[in-house]
Amino acid sequence: MTGQTIEAYESVRTWRRDLSDQWGGDPIAEEPDKLQALARFCEFVGEDPDAIIARCFRVRKSDGEQVISLKWRAYYAQKIREFREQNPDQESQRLAANVLSFLIHNGVLVQV
């Protein structure tokens, strides 16, 4: 990741805004472990949040429409499973759920 704070990434701001719209208040400020989980996952995969989201989309050649990249969605689903399995306890389940929330609120439906 670059030297900027995790909150500075556009994809994190999108996640925060969508959570706030859905639940009211500021769920990320109220539960800072959400950001910590995402930061740990980014460190685990060696990428920043915006890069993760960017990889999950591609431009379809036939019509130029932006669509989900099945290859990268499957890659990150596997990485989330590996991340979760590092410590098979309740905390790891919560960490993985927070990463999934980040992806889903950025338009990437992932099932692990």
Side-chain angles (χ1 to χ4, degrees), residues 2-103:
T2 64
Q4 65 182 329
T5 65
I6 196 158
E7 294 99 339
Y9 289 95
E10 181 62 33
S11 57
V12 175
R13 291 193 304 265
T14 297
W15 182 34
R16 174 177 242 141
R17 182 184 61 244
D18 285 3
L19 284 175
S20 181
D21 288 349
Q22 183 176 4
W23 299 105
D26 187 353
I28 289 185
E30 295 165 11
E31 296 180 53
D33 59 320
K34 290 182 181 304
L35 280 179
Q36 293 167 1
L38 179 58
R40 286 175 59 184
F41 181 75
C42 288
E43 185 176 315
F44 178 74
V45 297
E47 298 176 42
D48 68 61
D50 287 352
I52 292 170
I53 297 304
R55 283 184 183 225
C56 288
F57 291 94
R58 66 178 181 83
V59 176
R60 189 168 39 212
K61 293 176 185 172
S62 62
D63 60 6
E65 183 177 343
Q66 189 175 25
V67 295
I68 294 288
S69 167
L70 298 179
K71 171 186 160 184
W72 285 104
R73 183 174 66 177
Y75 171 82
Y76 288 114
Q78 178 60 35
K79 288 298 180 184
I80 291 169
R81 282 190 289 277
E82 291 171 16
F83 181 64
R84 181 181 61 199
E85 291 166 3
Q86 280 185 338
N87 298 303
D89 58 14
Q90 275 191 322
E91 179 191 5
S92 63
Q93 297 296 323
R94 191 173 59 253
L95 292 172
N98 287 326
V99 174
L100 287 170
S101 170
F102 164 75
L103 290 166

